[in-house]
Amino acid sequence: MSSDQPTPERGVPERREITVRRAPKYVPFLVLGGLVGFAAAAVIAYALPGDASYDRGTVYGFFMVPCAAAGVILGAIAALILDRASVRRARRGVVESVPETEHPAAGVEIITEPAPEPGPAPERTADDGGEPGQRS
């Protein structure tokens, strides 16, 4: 067996084919949809003419729940559409693992100095409340 042959001790670089794509985060879309729903409920309650027998705050509270739910649903649909579009734009790539022996920090031992012995506490001076730094 020659020395050029990979051995289990040296590690064999493993090659994998992967798919790389940009996927949207769903939570921001859901939150933004809910906020748009709250705004739509405010427009319905305060900008449109209404019945004088109902308080505008009551109308806003009544429309807030269905409008926010509809906004969350629309935000989720928008995120799903963008997720499907990102699948179409996905790129293929090949990655190779780096064995530990080839890593720049491999075989380097980190030496830390012991913490100094605790001694008497330093004297405290009165602070004038100004900015930190030199005191006069």
Side-chain angles (χ1 to χ4, degrees), residues 1-127:
M1 181 180 228
S2 79
S3 62
D4 293 337
Q5 296 288 332
T7 62
E9 295 87 32
R10 290 178 60 191
V12 178
E14 182 181 347
R15 296 177 66 106
R16 290 186 186 171
E17 192 170 317
I18 62 167
T19 302
V20 180
R21 68 182 180 105
R22 292 180 52 114
K25 294 182 180 181
Y26 286 88
V27 173
F29 280 90
L30 299 177
V31 169
L32 183 63
L35 292 176
V36 169
F38 287 147
V43 168
I44 291 171
Y46 295 106
L48 300 177
D51 191 359
S53 62
Y54 294 108
D55 181 38
R56 295 212 183 255
T58 305
V59 173
Y60 176 66
F62 179 77
F63 281 106
M64 186 172 37
V65 174
C67 288
V72 168
I73 290 171
L74 291 176
I77 290 171
L80 285 172
I81 290 171
L82 289 175
D83 188 36
R84 293 294 175 210
S86 72
V87 169
R88 290 188 203 127
R89 291 189 310 244
R91 304 273 187 235
R92 304 284 301 181
V94 177
V95 294
E96 186 174 303
S97 66
V98 179
E100 290 184 28
T101 57
E102 294 178 13
H103 193 273
V108 177
E109 184 178 338
I110 299 175
I111 301 173
T112 59
E113 295 180 14
E117 295 281 329
E123 292 183 31
R124 294 184 176 239
T125 58
D127 188 11

